[in-house]
Amino acid sequence: MTLLEAINLILPKLGEHRVTRVDIKHPTIAIIVPEVENTLRSVLLKGWWFNEFEYTGIPDSEGFITLGADALTFTPLPSEEFCVLRNGKLYRPKNLDYTWDASITGIVKQYVPFDSLPESAQQHVFYAALVDALATDIGVTQEFQLWAGHAQSAYGDLLAEHIRQRKYSTRQSRRYGRLRSAMKS
C-alpha cells in the first residue's frame, strides 16, 4: 500500500472523493497527511524488527559520530558511555561536545517511510491515522468505535509479526531453564 492508496481509503470514510495525488492544498488531505506522519513516527519510536538495529558508531576524522537523518533515537548499550542523539550526531554530555575518541555501540531506531513499511505496520498506521482524522474532522461518532477496533486489531497483528520476526521464545530464558531443571528433579 502506498501513502496515496491509504489516503484514498481514508477520504471516502470522511465523505470526500478520492484523489490522484497527494496535494497538501486539499483541506482534508492537509489534515490526513500530518496525522499519518505523526502516527508513523509514534509507531516507529516503539522499535520494531524492521527499524531497530544494533549499531556501532565509529568517529570520523574530526571525531564526530554521525548517524544520519533517518535515525530517530540512539540508546547506548549499558556498558557504553551515555550519549544523546542531536541533529543526526551523537552528543557527549560528559564533555559537553560532539567529539568522540572511541567507537560506541547502541540500539538505533530508524525512520522508515510509509511506502517502505511492512504491510502489518502500514495497516496499523492507516487505521490509527483514520481514527485520528475522524476525531479531528467529524468528531466521535458511531463509526469512530468501529475504526478504533480495526486499529487495535491491526496493532495486534503488527505485534504478533514482531514477536515472530524476533523469534522470542520462553525456552531461551533462564527462568525456563530453572523451571525445567526443577521439574526433572
Side-chain angles (χ1 to χ4, degrees):
M1 171 184 330
T2 64
L3 180 59
L4 178 62
E5 290 170 343
I7 289 171
N8 279 328
L9 290 173
I10 293 172
L11 285 172
K13 292 164 181 47
L14 298 174
E16 299 279 340
H17 296 287
R18 295 176 186 265
V19 294
T20 57
R21 60 188 163 89
V22 179
D23 184 13
I24 299 298
K25 293 180 182 179
H26 189 283
T28 307
I29 293 177
I31 292 171
I32 295 171
V33 170
E35 291 293 345
V36 169
E37 186 62 29
N38 187 36
T39 303
L40 175 61
R41 284 192 174 273
S42 69
V43 166
L44 292 175
L45 282 171
K46 292 179 182 174
W48 302 93
W49 79 97
F50 59 86
N51 82 317
E52 183 179 69
F53 309 101
E54 187 171 306
Y55 174 76
T56 301
I58 301 170
D60 61 14
S61 60
E62 297 175 358
F64 298 134
I65 297 178
T66 305
L67 297 179
D70 66 341
L72 295 173
T73 64
F74 181 84
T75 307
L77 295 180
S79 61
E80 298 284 346
E81 183 178 339
F82 177 71
C83 62
V84 179
L85 178 64
R86 290 186 182 165
N87 300 321
K89 295 180 186 174
L90 290 184
Y91 179 74
R92 195 174 190 180
K94 181 179 175 183
N95 296 359
L96 299 175
D97 66 4
Y98 290 91
T99 58
W100 294 84
D101 50 353
S103 63
I104 185 165
T105 303
I107 305 297
V108 66
K109 293 177 186 168
Q110 292 181 312
Y111 177 83
V112 179
F114 183 84
D115 294 350
S116 299
L117 291 175
E119 183 67 24
S120 59
Q122 285 180 339
Q123 289 293 320
H124 172 60
V125 170
F126 160 71
Y127 282 118
L130 171 60
V131 167
D132 291 342
L134 270 172
T136 302
D137 196 41
I138 298 174
V140 179
T141 62
Q142 200 168 10
E143 294 86 16
F144 180 85
Q145 291 180 351
L146 173 70
W147 297 115
H150 286 303
Q152 279 300 112
S153 176
Y155 181 76
D157 294 343
L158 175 61
L159 192 57
E161 187 171 351
H162 175 71
I163 290 169
R164 277 193 304 274
Q165 294 287 340
R166 289 288 170 111
K167 296 182 171 108
Y168 291 129
S169 173
T170 308
R171 289 179 180 232
Q172 296 170 352
S173 71
R174 279 189 261 171
R175 178 179 271 173
Y176 177 80
R178 286 194 304 260
L179 287 171
R180 189 82 172 149
S181 64
M183 291 171 66
K184 288 182 181 178
S185 44

